Amino acid sequence: MNGHPDMNGQEAIPLYGTPPATVEPVVAALDVCTRCQGTIAPDGYCLECGAPRMSARDHFRESPTEWVGGVCDRGLVHGRNEDALAICAVAPPTSHPEAGAVPQAGALHLGPPGTGVIVVCDGVSTSPDSDAASLAAARSAVQAAERVLAQATVESNRSGVLRGALLAGAQAARAAVAALGGEGEEAPSCTYVACAVEPGIVVAAWLGDSRVYWIPDGDAPVRLTTDHSWASELVARGVEVAEAERAPGAHAITRWVGADAPVDDVPSVQLAPTGPGWVLVCSDGLWNYCSPAQELAALLRELTRAGDAERAPERAAAVSPDVGGGVGLGCRTAADLAGDLVTWANAQGGRDNVTVALARIDAVVPMSEVPTTLAEDRREEVR
Amino acid sequence: MTSFEVEVFSNPYLQEGATDLHAIVAVRGQGSGGAQGGGEVPAEAAELLILDSSGSMAGRSLEAAKHAASVWVDTLPDGVLFAIVAGSHVAQRVFPYPNAPVRIVRMEPGARAEAKRAVARVVASGGTAMSSWLMLADQIFASVPPGVRKHAILLTDGKNESEPPGNLGRAIAVVQGHFQCDVRGVGDRWTVEEARQIATAMLGSVGLIPDPSGIALDFQALTRAAMAKGVAQASLRVWSPQGAELLFVRQVAPSIEDLTLRRTSVNALTGDYPTGAWGAEEREYHLAVRVPSRPLGTEQLVARVQLVVGGQVEASGLVTARWSADPSLTTPVSPAVAHYSGQTELASAIREGLAAKAVGDEATATTKLGRAVRLAQETGNAEATSRLRRVVEIDSERGTVRLRRDASRLDEMALDTASTKTTRVTR
């Protein structure tokens, strides 16, 4: 039975509650080798390189468009993949006066044709079914965000819409995880990081230690999120970042999505990029090997060049080095590049599940055309 | 019908940075074709007997060989294609008679009686040129349709001394793969190395028959074993991943045969190794694969091992590797691998020791045979131990050996001939 909208426009839960959501199980096995793209034989191993078959839950790729995509992978050590990833790309609203739907002469409006929403959830290993929880959370969150974006046809404050979408996502993630049942210690739980990207605006919301970085082509990279973790608490108390991340219990998260989680506000940040760059969303499976924004930016640049040269040399040569300053989309998709970062993390040891998603902003509306509210919202340093 | 199963024994755990994985692959054939079920005859068998008729055979050896040939004729069931060759410095077909319109005939009571008469006419004369024996055998088998299992027994009593040294090798290269050949030496004047050269290439065994009286029984056993082979030709197929190096493929039971160089390519990653005919029996293979090291935790298939008959995969086994930081997992050596590594080293030690002794290098011979004694004891090869005792004296208190002055050439040949026989690992 449908509930009735309450005062806040949300669906009220009926007296008897609603049946728990069923999570579509991802058990399909992949026929293509995730290591070398070879064929998996009926005996379960690649015919070329001998790598074992992975299930579609162990390794999957989301690539709704060229400019936004990601890869979620079990890593090398863990027996199952408790990370999850969901991505959608929503067409731009039909009417969008403030963000410059009719670019003026000379204005650089080449940004993503629409809005990308990325959600990464990292299941908390100590809770059962955290692989199911993280996947249910990520998928529900993206669906909820997509609904909010679809309803916003004409909106005076785009940043408000995006933030609303991500908060609706967090709420949907909570509901999806709660629907899996369990109480207290037994309650499945996961981290939540969501990021919405469109021309000139990046908004992120999060609970836990999955991260969002902004890596502009020509400027200093920054991390947009602050971990809800013991390490962060230590940093807040004056401990050096590197030391805090190595401290015992550094990875213990202080906020999360789950039935046992304190229900409180979901923090969010926003940024109005003034040039082209990458938004990178990842779980700790990546940043454990490369935490500082500067290092991550350098790694991304190196992998972009190496990947273009190795996998499509003729196309790489054809791509003008001016496009994105040589570090843009190049000749491969965002999901391809995210896959390279996952491969890199596994080459460093793959000690944890690893999820990486990227969204490309090729160029943005010049500051003069950005609505003033957004320009004021822009945060220089978010750490 | 013969059915197959493949089982893999190895420790899949490799420590960080390790690249080499060893595995023992057991291939078992079950059921049989052959002579079972009311004397039903396998029409798909061709058997050839090659008797040494050189001058040195004259007397007791030739009489015993002729008697054995008659017993062999009696042992062959009706329906089997057969022929008999007498070899000296030239080879001659004894039966079917040289003027026969066919090179090989089907066994039936009339053929059996006539074949025995033909054997009785064989006389000893001339020298020994084994290349001509093999070439004639090849000609005879060439008239047999493909798909028929082709098996020969070659009996000699002497050295291959009537032809230039390279001839035998060239003939082997020509006939190899066309038929299987077991080689038997009677007495102590033949050379194990020559016999082994033929048998190894022709997927057969080498045997020493000390006294001519033993020939008949040996032929009977060989023929029965050959008749029990339900599959004429099988191959061991080995796949290894891209970037891997197959270090060796070696049969280790019932005897040691290095197959590494026998590979024929199926594709870039896969090769076939011929195994000859197969019946209700188990053979074991030791293979070693070198793969690029992978990060800790990675699982990797390092070999697919299959038994292939007529292009069809009959059974498969998987050899996997998994890199681990846990020394309790990575340290143990698979008992099967350890056992057969020891047996392989034992065979080398025996052969190197005897070779050193033959050229008068007693120091090396003592060291090598001493090592062999220890390996035979460690791997529980009682047969090898007892053969070694006839060649060396073992001082078990001091753990040393001394070459026996009274060791006969026959004792040394027995030790050499049997050096590649292995005992199975206890599982």
Side-chain angles (χ1 to χ4, degrees):
Chain A
M1 291 293 105
N2 288 330
H4 300 285
D6 67 8
M7 297 286 284
N8 302 321
Q10 289 162 2
E11 304 256 306
I13 295 175
L15 185 59
Y16 302 127
T18 51
T22 49
V23 183
E24 197 181 315
V26 185
V27 291
L30 301 177
D31 290 331
V32 174
C33 176
T34 53
R35 190 201 282 164
C36 78
Q37 313 305 316
T39 305
I40 301 290
D43 61 24
Y45 294 92
C46 177
L47 282 172
E48 299 296 323
C49 75
R53 184 205 301 277
M54 280 192 160
S55 79
R57 181 69 184 92
D58 286 341
H59 177 100
F60 63 94
R61 186 181 139 105
E62 296 267 292
S63 186
T65 72
E66 285 193 340
W67 56 268
V68 60
V71 170
C72 180
D73 185 90
R74 190 184 64 191
L76 301 177
V77 176
H78 285 228
R80 64 178 185 178
N81 185 9
E82 292 166 352
D83 273 12
L85 167 70
I87 300 177
C88 72
V90 180
T94 46
S95 173
H96 192 192
E98 271 83 10
V102 184
Q104 295 167 10
L108 292 167
H109 188 155
L110 304 169
T115 311
V117 177
I118 298 166
V119 177
V120 169
C121 294
D122 177 355
V124 176
S125 297
T126 51
S127 65
D129 299 330
S130 53
D131 55 338
S134 62
L135 192 64
R139 288 183 171 177
S140 306
V142 159
Q143 283 164 11
E146 208 171 355
R147 278 196 297 273
V148 171
L149 292 173
Q151 282 159 12
T153 47
V154 181
E155 174 60 57
S156 58
N157 184 352
R158 279 305 285 174
S159 66
V161 170
L162 299 189
R163 181 185 279 149
L166 302 186
L167 298 184
Q171 206 156 35
R174 265 190 191 129
V177 171
L180 293 174
E183 278 179 18
E185 293 283 299
E186 291 291 295
S189 52
C190 63
T191 69
Y192 174 81
V193 66
C195 185
V197 181
E198 65 178 40
I201 316 174
V202 176
V203 181
W206 77 102
L207 292 166
D209 67 352
S210 300
R211 295 180 175 177
V212 179
Y213 291 84
W214 165 239
I215 303 173
D217 291 353
D219 212 344
V222 289
R223 169 155 45 116
L224 301 185
T225 55
T226 308
D227 298 344
H228 299 130
S229 69
W230 179 238
S232 286
E233 302 268 329
L234 291 175
V235 172
R237 293 178 199 179
V239 179
E240 286 286 318
V241 174
E243 194 187 328
E245 285 177 358
R246 282 196 305 270
H251 278 244
I253 53 174
T254 51
R255 299 185 66 180
W256 63 94
V257 171
D260 59 337
V263 176
D264 45 16
D265 290 343
V266 178
S268 66
V269 295
Q270 53 185 299
L271 175 86
T274 53
W278 288 102
V279 175
L280 187 153
V281 186
C282 66
S283 65
D284 59 348
L286 176 67
W287 68 250
N288 271 332
Y289 294 114
C290 193
S291 179
Q294 296 284 2
E295 288 179 21
L296 203 51
L299 176 64
L300 185 66
R301 226 159 260 146
E302 186 191 315
L303 290 177
T304 308
R305 291 209 184 93
D308 285 358
E310 183 192 322
R311 302 191 196 188
E314 64 294 332
R315 286 184 62 194
V319 171
S320 157
D322 297 336
V323 175
V327 289
L329 206 47
C331 53
R332 290 173 313 127
T333 65
D336 289 339
L337 193 47
D340 286 355
L341 282 160
V342 168
T343 304
W344 178 86
N346 281 335
Q348 309 313 302
R351 284 193 298 274
D352 201 350
N353 305 145
V354 55
T355 304
V356 182
L358 287 165
R360 177 69 192 168
I361 295 180
D362 260 336
V364 292
V365 187
M367 281 303 282
S368 60
E369 291 169 30
V370 173
T372 43
T373 52
L374 192 60
E376 283 163 6
D377 276 350
R378 183 175 176 221
R379 295 172 64 164
E380 297 293 332
E381 178 58 60
V382 201
R383 302 212 18 193
Chain B
M1 272 310 291
T2 306
S3 64
F4 291 93
E5 68 186 38
V6 171
E7 198 175 354
V8 175
F9 302 89
S10 72
N11 177 7
Y13 292 100
L14 294 175
Q15 65 181 29
E16 187 164 22
T19 56
D20 295 0
L21 198 107
H22 289 249
I24 299 297
V25 178
V27 182
R28 268 183 293 276
Q30 274 153 347
S32 78
Q36 64 152 21
E40 200 61 45
V41 167
E44 65 286 335
E47 290 284 328
L48 186 69
L49 187 60
I50 306 169
L51 293 178
D52 188 339
S53 64
S54 60
S56 63
M57 286 286 286
R60 204 170 146 245
S61 287
L62 188 69
E63 288 319 305
K66 284 159 76 169
H67 167 67
S70 291
V71 172
W72 176 80
V73 167
D74 282 333
T75 309
L76 288 177
D78 284 1
V80 170
L81 294 168
F82 80 105
I84 302 166
V85 166
S88 57
H89 56 285
V90 290
Q92 195 177 25
R93 201 171 71 219
V94 174
F95 191 84
Y97 292 113
N99 64 348
V102 291
R103 297 179 198 163
I104 195 163
V105 292
R106 209 167 282 284
M107 183 61 84
E108 40 83 27
R112 190 172 283 119
E114 197 55 49
K116 287 187 199 175
R117 275 193 285 277
V119 166
R121 296 165 55 91
V122 173
V123 290
S125 74
T128 304
M130 294 182 191
S131 70
S132 67
W133 311 0
L134 292 175
M135 295 306 284
L136 179 59
D138 196 42
Q139 269 181 30
I140 292 170
F141 279 130
S143 69
V144 173
V148 175
R149 186 181 52 71
K150 304 177 185 81
H151 172 242
I153 301 172
L154 188 157
L155 176 77
T156 184
D157 80 325
K159 290 194 183 92
N160 189 43
E161 55 198 1
S162 309
E163 60 180 339
N167 276 20
L168 183 58
R170 278 192 290 277
I172 289 171
V174 170
V175 306
Q176 186 171 19
H178 297 180
F179 59 97
Q180 279 184 263
C181 186
D182 289 311
V183 181
R184 290 296 178 264
V186 61
D188 64 1
R189 285 170 304 169
W190 56 288
T191 58
V192 178
E193 210 40 60
E194 261 168 22
R196 186 176 281 137
Q197 189 190 352
I198 299 171
T200 298
M202 306 302 290
L203 303 173
S205 61
V206 179
L208 166 67
I209 304 171
D211 189 86
S213 60
I215 302 173
L217 217 59
D218 192 272
F219 280 11
Q220 240 175 341
L222 279 178
T223 307
R224 291 215 173 102
M227 287 296 120
K229 309 277 185 192
V231 169
Q233 182 69 260
S235 298
L236 193 73
R237 179 167 291 179
V238 181
W239 170 96
S240 55
Q242 199 128 49
E245 186 189 349
L246 201 51
L247 299 175
F248 61 78
V249 178
R250 186 186 286 155
Q251 181 185 290
V252 289
S255 61
I256 296 168
E257 296 289 351
D258 195 340
L259 305 178
T260 312
L261 300 176
R262 306 264 189 96
R263 180 188 179 98
T264 53
S265 265
V266 176
N267 59 45
L269 304 177
T270 313
D272 276 357
Y273 301 85
T275 68
W278 207 304
E281 62 185 305
E282 176 173 342
R283 299 184 206 173
E284 291 175 74
Y285 299 89
H286 181 173
L287 53 103
V289 191
R290 178 167 292 166
V291 292
S293 178
R294 299 259 177 210
L296 290 174
T298 311
E299 187 194 353
Q300 153 100 55
L301 185 68
V302 299
R304 286 185 177 89
V305 185
Q306 301 171 320
L307 195 86
V308 176
V309 178
Q312 291 291 310
V313 175
E314 298 288 330
S316 324
L318 300 177
V319 183
T320 57
R322 190 185 276 275
W323 281 268
S324 168
D326 182 350
S328 73
L329 295 175
T330 58
T331 309
V333 176
S334 150
V337 171
H339 176 82
Y340 286 120
S341 299
Q343 296 267 295
T344 304
E345 202 190 334
L346 168 62
S348 313
I350 290 173
R351 285 161 71 170
E352 286 163 19
L354 289 175
K357 186 165 186 285
V359 297
D361 179 356
E362 296 203 351
T364 304
T366 308
T367 310
K368 294 283 182 187
L369 293 174
R371 173 88 186 122
V373 167
R374 277 192 301 280
L375 284 164
Q377 283 166 351
E378 279 167 23
T379 60
N381 193 332
E383 265 192 68
T385 303
S386 81
R387 286 201 185 87
L388 278 161
R389 277 182 192 285
R390 304 178 77 102
V391 178
V392 294
E393 264 179 274
I394 302 169
D395 184 338
S396 38
E397 265 178 39
R398 285 196 287 173
T400 57
V401 302
R402 224 155 16 100
L403 299 180
R404 286 178 82 123
R405 300 293 150 205
D406 60 345
S408 72
R409 178 166 158 79
L410 215 48
D411 289 332
E412 287 179 16
M413 285 172 75
L415 178 61
D416 193 353
T417 306
S419 64
T420 57
K421 278 192 191 144
T422 53
T423 51
R424 289 191 190 272
V425 65
T426 42
R427 296 199 181 108

